[in-house]
């Protein structure tokens, strides 16, 4: 069946009430019955919830074949916990047919790729897949199609009962004996535990894993003791130095700085740029650099940002310290500056992944977002964006909050170079649709700016401000004139991953890569 972005979704995937994507707000107003975890009553007082090891905690959790486990990814490439736990489940307990529902998976989780290839891990649900796990999925090694959801789509699926977690293992920088847990105050801090909070609320069993046990009560706590079953103290939960990725960098590239300045000029030209406006930027170098140019525009107009949202870097923290931002609402931290800032500034506060972007809730923070600045692996002439599959078709990215913020912000701006290496970024059709074009308003490249024709109001504002813009078709033609039109990728019939829209419908599918045939 063809969906609203023109993708053909196999009929066999449309079972048990599953539907194709029907449009940006097609499910608005639909009723959702909240799922609930199974809890054990605790009337008798206990001294603590401490277990001597991960193995002991697993024994108490009645681990079994076919179970669904989850982890959070606040430590990003510095995470140790997921691999530690899965190794215990597989090698000590012999668990098979494991379903892994991590918030994101990457290079830190290469061990899980081994278990996929051995047929032990058979299903994955995540907001991002990179590294060897992505390669294993793309080559058809996973028994069942992976499900890729946005940051908002994940807690929606948990809330609706579509993703039910048996046991969640949550790394925490500090915890007390009862399980009051936080991402700060320990020897290895990750900052916000926003990704972990929904898991602590919806999983049947919750295990806190920490390397810093503190006195009871550890308050204020990100994860509350009322949601926690067991606490395990280990030597190391992760390496915070590896939270900052190469993408989350402060660029000095003149081309990227030019694009960032042009994006800031677009922001300043629109009517939403007024005192109290709200803003979020993605993790890419050019989009992060927009922060430094926004400061000049804010000072010129003598206005202040009401709140900054989402994943947080040191750049936005610096703006708050200068008095140019009222509040930072934080779901994850991208660097040490942001982690320390969260711990020490009362106007920098934590929120859960559900509070951030869950479309199934009664209203998340993204619904109040004026501007969103994002990057892209590909964007096509219909303004559809791909941030999941590379030019070779391998799963190597994450929708994250991209589809959520694009759908809800008043103005979504994509900042990306026209070409990357020898591949066009602006193309005729993206490999995989992860953010529908109807949600994208402006594209800023190093060869010009294009506006979605549906946004005539933005076009009028740019014209009034003297900001030049071109058609996205002309940018695509320019990209192909520089690097040529790429040959189409070749695929097997097998679907290896399903990309869900934030409302739970099927936005696109990813098929197994076919060895390239040059004939």
């Amino acid at each position: 069946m063809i969906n609203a972005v023109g993708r053909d979704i196999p009929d066999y995937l449309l079972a048990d009430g599953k539907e194709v994507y029907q449009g940006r707000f097609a499910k608005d107003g639909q009723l959702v019955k909240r799922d609930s975890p199974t809890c054990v009553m605790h009337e008798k007082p206990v001294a603590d919830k401490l277990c001597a090891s991960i193995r002991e905690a697993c024994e108490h959790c009645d681990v079994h074949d076919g179970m669904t486990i989850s982890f959070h990814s606040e430590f990003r490439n510095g995470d140790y916990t997921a691999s530690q736990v899965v190794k215990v489940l597989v090698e000590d307990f012999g668990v098979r047919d494991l379903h892994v529902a991590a918030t994101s998976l990457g290079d830190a989780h290469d061990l899980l790729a081994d278990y996929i290839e051995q047929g032990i891990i058979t299903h994955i649900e995540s907001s991002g897949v990179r590294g060897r796990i992505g390669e294993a999925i793309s080559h058809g090694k996973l028994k069942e199609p992976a499900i890729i959801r946005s940051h908002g789509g994940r807690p929606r699926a948990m809330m609706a009962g579509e993703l039910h977690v048996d046991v969640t293992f949550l790394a925490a920088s500090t915890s007390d004996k009862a399980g009051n847990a936080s991402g700060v105050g320990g020897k290895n801090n990750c900052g916000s535990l926003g990704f972990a909070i929904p898991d602590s609320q919806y999983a049947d069993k919750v295990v806190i894993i920490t390397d810093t046990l503190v006195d009871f009560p550890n308050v204020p706590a990100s994860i509350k003791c009322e949601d926690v079953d067991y606490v395990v103290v280990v030597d190391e939960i992760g390496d915070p130095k590896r939270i900052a990725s190469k993408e989350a960098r402060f660029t000095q590239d003149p081309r990227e700085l030019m694009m960032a300045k042009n994006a800031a000029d677009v922001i300043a030209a629109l009517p939403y740029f007024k005192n109290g406006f709200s803003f979020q930027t993605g993790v890419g170098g050019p989009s992060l650099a927009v922060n430094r140019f926004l400061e000049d525009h804010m000072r010129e107009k003598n206005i202040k940002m009401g709140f900054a949202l989402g994943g947080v870097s040191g750049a936005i923290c610096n703006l708050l310290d200068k008095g140019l931002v009222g509040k930072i609402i934080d779901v994850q931290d991208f660097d040490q500056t942001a982690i320390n800032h969260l711990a020490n500034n009362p106007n920098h506060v934590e929120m859960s992944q559900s509070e951030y972007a869950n479309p199934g809730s009664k209203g998340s923070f993204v619904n109040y977002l004026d501007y969103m600045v994002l990057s892209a692996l590909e964007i096509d002439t219909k303004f559809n964006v791909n941030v999941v599959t590379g030019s070779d078709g391998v799963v190597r990215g994450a929708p994250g909050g991209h589809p959520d913020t694009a759908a809800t912000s008043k103005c979504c701006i994509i900042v990306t170079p026209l070409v990357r290496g020898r591949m066009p970024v602006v193309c005729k059709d993206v490999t995989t649709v992860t953010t529908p074009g109807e949600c994208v308003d402006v594209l800023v490249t190093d060869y010009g700016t294009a506006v979605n024709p549906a946004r005539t109001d933005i076009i009028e504002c740019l014209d009034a401000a003297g900001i030049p813009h071109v058609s996205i078709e002309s940018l695509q033609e320019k990209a192909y004139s520089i690097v040529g039109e790429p040959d189409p990728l070749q695929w097997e019939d097998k679907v290896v991953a399903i990309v869900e829209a934030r409302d739970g419908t099927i936005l696109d599918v990813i098929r197994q890569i076919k060895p390239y045939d040059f004939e």
Side-chain angles (χ1 to χ4, degrees), residues 94-341:
V95 174
R96 296 295 184 268
D97 188 21
L98 259 180
H99 297 194
V100 176
T103 55
S104 192
L105 295 164
D107 292 337
H109 310 114
D110 280 353
L111 176 65
L112 276 64
D114 292 338
Y115 294 141
I116 290 172
E117 292 176 355
Q118 294 168 30
I120 296 170
I121 293 175
T122 58
H123 186 60
I124 284 176
E125 302 187 33
S126 181
S127 293
V129 181
R130 297 180 175 89
R132 282 188 54 214
I133 295 177
E135 292 173 1
I137 291 171
S138 298
H139 288 94
K141 302 292 181 65
L142 192 66
K143 181 179 179 182
E144 302 172 10
I147 298 177
I148 299 174
R149 297 187 176 98
S150 69
H151 283 332
R154 184 175 188 273
R156 183 212 59 78
M158 297 179 81
M159 189 182 77
E162 297 167 17
L163 167 59
H164 190 88
V165 176
D166 295 306
V167 186
T168 185
F169 299 87
L170 303 177
S173 303
T174 58
S175 177
D176 61 28
K177 63 184 181 180
N180 292 299
S182 173
V184 297
K187 64 180 182 180
N188 291 305
N189 295 326
C190 63
S192 174
L193 285 179
F195 288 172
I197 295 172
D199 295 66
S200 73
Q201 295 169 339
Y202 286 102
D204 286 342
K205 295 288 180 64
V206 177
V207 179
I208 296 297
I209 300 179
T210 187
D211 53 19
T212 306
L213 191 69
V214 297
D215 291 339
F216 177 87
N218 184 28
V219 292
S222 305
I223 297 170
K224 311 297 193 296
C225 65
E226 66 172 349
D227 293 319
V228 175
D229 295 278
Y230 304 106
V231 178
V232 180
V233 182
V234 298
D235 292 334
E236 302 281 344
I237 56 171
D239 181 1
K241 296 184 183 67
R242 299 187 66 189
I243 289 174
S245 64
K246 63 182 180 180
E247 291 84 10
R249 69 196 191 283
F250 294 101
T251 183
Q252 300 300 325
D253 186 315
R255 179 182 66 165
E256 293 184 342
L257 291 174
M258 175 192 69
M259 291 189 290
K261 179 182 182 304
N262 291 343
D265 290 345
V266 170
I267 290 171
L270 302 185
Y272 321 122
F273 193 68
K274 58 187 178 182
N275 198 49
F277 77 98
S278 55
F279 174 78
Q280 182 182 339
T281 185
V283 71
S287 53
L288 276 178
V290 172
N291 291 282
R292 70 180 72 176
F293 296 104
L294 268 186
E295 179 177 350
D296 294 336
H297 285 293
M298 284 192 282
R299 293 193 183 282
E300 180 183 342
K301 292 197 174 185
N302 193 30
I303 64 173
K304 177 179 175 179
M305 190 186 302
F307 70 89
L309 187 63
V312 176
S313 71
I316 204 73
C317 297
N318 292 335
L319 289 182
L320 186 145
D321 292 340
K322 292 176 180 179
L324 294 173
V325 178
K327 302 276 187 183
I328 296 175
I329 318 297
D330 185 347
V331 73
Q332 69 167 320
D333 293 297
F334 291 140
D335 54 42
Q336 291 297 309
T337 299
I339 292 169
N340 295 330
H341 199 265

Side-chain angles (χ1 to χ4, degrees), residues 72 90 102 166 242 270 355 380 412 444:
H72 72 77
V90 172
D166 295 306
R242 299 187 66 189
L270 302 185
E355 289 176 288
D380 65 27
C412 169
V444 177

